[in-house]
């Protein structure tokens, strides 16, 4: 087996407690997660926020990995300090260097089990395609969104987010824990197959590519003036037809979708995105070929 | 119409945002809630916590109405200070005196729309019975629980909690808002019928009376060591048979219910109760006659 070390992060957001609980139980019961021989370094992303049951203390840790923030010595937000610390410990040049990162998240939206990839790095997409071929997970390709930057996984040579939902913040749910466990195992199994030289890559894979986000209608003070229409709640991954109800005003009036091309909504009514002015994101389905050189790039990284 | 003033509180817990949103919209659109001619004073219970999206700042406001806390000049917890303030403004001897309080809450558990009554005050039960006869809402009678004291409604001559769920903390949901609106209207319609001398009381009513609470199994550090079994999740109000799965250990082992008498569980996996060591509460169903003197007591209060 290679010298590959996979950083497995949970609790990047301190109110997403199912991943941290899984890691905690795993430390006591090693059989819980079959690593398939892959070296795994588990870590809690934001232990201070987790202890308080809050998403973050000063700012979102999963937007704190922007290079300008990391390079600035004057920014003292606790999450930026923590981002630097995680990199100095576990970054590719850290004291315990990891080449690949898996970052565990949960959501109040009905995303099921989803892989999230940031940008179009060949190694990320090769790994996601390999996992999709094994477990059928959808891939949300978050790309070209200038408003959302500084994600943790971007600072490692290869990295994926696993998003599981729906689950309220701060609540343990057995099904969510089990879905998280299965997704982690699928990632490690895929990496193990690469390390042992026997990966079964698909010829092509499906991504849902980020088009943009919609916000709730807001009042003059910037507060939500309508809410997600009940017929849309929980309908992540189902194409949005022109005229479909989007938002419901208090007086019963309905705000409808006026766009074309039936985009596919994701992260519908994620609690933490209200402050980011995102009521849902829209995606389009793309079938992508998987070039051999992407497979080679992942092989090279795993064989480090 | 009498001089009755009903205090309508939302946001007693700052992360339960659907009630506050309803009050906010109501202030802009008076038709939203038909008060049936009853005088209503709307107020946000914990505006500072609501602004931060947190349940509370220093301690739970809805446990801060204990007489010993209210009488102590030395306790400076912001919620205790706020409790005193609410009483000095809107208490029965306050500057804007209210005789009856309705306190709006939401829960991550599948409680549907529930009335919660604290103790067995005749006026509370008469009002709850009247609402149950109109809208069929279940009544959870929280009584004889020495560990949980100091609820807001207890400091008014008459008061009910309306609990609506399931909904994550910090998330607007159209259905939850509508359920809250309907329950508030039913309360006000019932009070209006009393004020106009035409209430239709039932001969008897049904309560689910608190028996006790069960906690998750905990580890040596006091952290949850198992989670609510997925087959129990969302099954509030459904009798618990001996041998039914309660909790699931990480290794897949099942902790089963060993009690008798098929108690009825409520507040299964409410996120905020983990810190109170409550994974669910158990109740028994009671059919209670509604004595005429209870009706008279409510009539007297409403005719103030």
């Amino acid at each position: 087996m290679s010298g590959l070390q996979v950083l497995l992060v949970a609790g990047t957001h301190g109110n997403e407690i199912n991943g941290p609980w899984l890691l905690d139980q795993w430390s006591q019961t090693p059989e819980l997660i079959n690593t398939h021989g892959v070296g795994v370094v588990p870590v809690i992303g934001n232990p201070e926020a987790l202890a308080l049951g809050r998403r973050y203390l000063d700012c979102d840790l999963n937007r704190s990995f922007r290079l300008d923030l990391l390079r600035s010595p004057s920014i003292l937000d606790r999450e930026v300090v923590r981002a630097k610390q995680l990199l100095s410990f576990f970054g590719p040049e850290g004291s315990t260097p990891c080449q690949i990162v898996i970052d565990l998240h949960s959501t109040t939206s009905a995303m099921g089990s989803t892989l999230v990839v940031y940008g179009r790095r060949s190694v990320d997409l090769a790994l996601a395609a390999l996992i999709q071929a094994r477990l059928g997970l959808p891939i949300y390709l978050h790309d070209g969104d200038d408003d959302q930057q500084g994600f943790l996984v971007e600072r490692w040579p290869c990295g994926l987010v696993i998003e599981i939902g729906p689950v309220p913040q701060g609540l343990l749910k057995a099904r969510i824990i089990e879905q998280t466990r299965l997704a982690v195992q699928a990632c490690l199994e895929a990496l193990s197959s690469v390390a042992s030289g026997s990966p079964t890559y698909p010829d092509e894979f499906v991504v849902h590519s980020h088009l943009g986000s919609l916000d709730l209608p807001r009042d003059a003070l910037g507060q939500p003036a309508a809410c997600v229409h009940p017929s849309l709640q929980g309908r992540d991954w189902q194409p949005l037809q022109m005229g479909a109800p989007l938002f419901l005003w208090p007086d019963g009036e309905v705000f409808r979708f006026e766009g074309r091309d039936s985009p596919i909504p994701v992260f519908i009514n994620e609690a933490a995105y209200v402050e980011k002015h995102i009521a849902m994101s829209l995606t389009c389905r793309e079938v992508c070929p998987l070039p051999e050189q992407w497979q080679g790039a992942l092989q090279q990284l795993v064989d480090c």
Side-chain angles (χ1 to χ4, degrees), chain A:
Chain A
M1 190 62 66
S2 73
L4 174 70
Q5 290 287 332
V6 175
L7 183 64
L8 181 59
V9 189
T12 297
H13 294 133
N15 56 4
E16 298 174 2
I17 66 172
N18 288 275
W21 196 78
L22 176 65
L23 292 198
D24 193 37
Q25 298 304 318
W26 183 37
S27 71
Q28 298 166 45
T29 311
E31 313 83 72
L32 202 57
I33 298 176
N34 183 348
T35 63
H36 296 273
V38 175
V40 177
V41 180
V43 68
I44 298 299
N46 199 339
E48 279 188 87
L50 181 66
L52 294 172
R54 286 161 56 185
R55 184 171 171 88
Y56 55 76
L57 302 172
D58 296 324
C59 58
D60 188 337
L61 176 59
N62 203 28
R63 303 294 184 279
S64 296
F65 286 81
R66 274 170 29 207
L67 289 178
D68 59 323
L69 297 176
L70 296 171
R71 284 171 184 157
S72 164
S74 62
I75 296 177
L76 297 175
D77 287 343
R78 281 168 285 186
E79 276 75 13
V80 176
V81 172
R82 178 63 177 157
K84 292 178 187 174
Q85 200 179 50
L86 285 168
L87 279 166
S88 76
F89 288 157
F90 308 113
E93 275 87 46
S95 50
T96 303
C98 296
Q99 298 76 41
I100 296 178
V101 60
I102 299 170
D103 188 17
L104 304 179
H105 288 256
S106 66
T107 169
T108 63
S109 64
M111 289 292 279
S113 300
T114 298
L115 302 174
V116 188
V117 174
Y118 296 88
R120 292 180 182 257
R121 297 192 298 193
S122 57
V123 284
D124 294 348
L125 290 168
L127 176 58
L130 198 53
I131 299 166
Q132 185 176 74
R134 286 174 172 262
L135 208 61
L137 300 187
I139 300 167
Y140 171 38
L141 175 55
H142 191 270
D143 188 26
D145 182 358
D146 290 342
D147 293 338
Q148 303 292 329
Q149 300 283 336
F151 295 95
L152 181 148
V153 297
E154 295 180 296
R155 293 281 79 76
W156 274 261
C158 173
L160 302 178
V161 157
I162 296 174
E163 275 285 359
I164 315 275
V167 62
Q169 297 170 343
L171 190 72
L172 281 184
K173 262 196 168 174
R175 281 192 208 285
I176 299 295
I177 295 161
E178 180 62 4
Q179 281 175 267
T180 308
R181 191 183 71 81
L182 290 173
V184 168
Q185 270 193 188
C187 290
L188 297 174
E189 198 181 349
L191 287 169
S192 172
S193 75
V194 177
S196 64
S198 59
T200 311
Y201 286 103
D203 295 332
E204 51 188 30
F205 62 107
V206 176
V207 300
H208 285 77
S209 182
H210 181 82
L211 295 171
S213 297
L214 299 179
D215 189 20
L216 294 173
R218 304 249 168 189
D219 64 19
L221 297 172
Q223 295 303 308
C227 49
V228 169
H229 195 280
S231 71
L232 185 59
Q233 181 72 46
R235 298 288 184 95
D236 303 73
W237 301 114
Q238 300 185 32
L240 206 52
Q241 309 298 347
M242 190 189 287
L246 277 183
F247 305 121
L248 181 66
W249 295 89
D251 63 2
E253 220 181 304
V254 175
F255 184 107
R256 292 176 187 279
F257 180 63
E258 298 297 344
R260 297 178 181 280
D261 301 327
S262 304
I264 295 168
V266 294
F267 287 106
I268 298 172
N269 218 8
E270 156 56 35
Y273 290 175
V274 177
E275 69 177 24
K276 298 185 196 298
H277 287 231
I278 297 172
M280 72 198 71
S281 292
L282 301 181
T283 70
C284 67
R285 187 175 184 276
E286 277 182 48
V287 180
C288 310
L290 182 61
E292 274 191 23
Q293 59 266 41
W294 294 10
Q295 305 171 21
L298 181 59
Q299 190 72 51
Q300 204 175 351
L301 186 67
V302 168
D303 290 341
C304 60

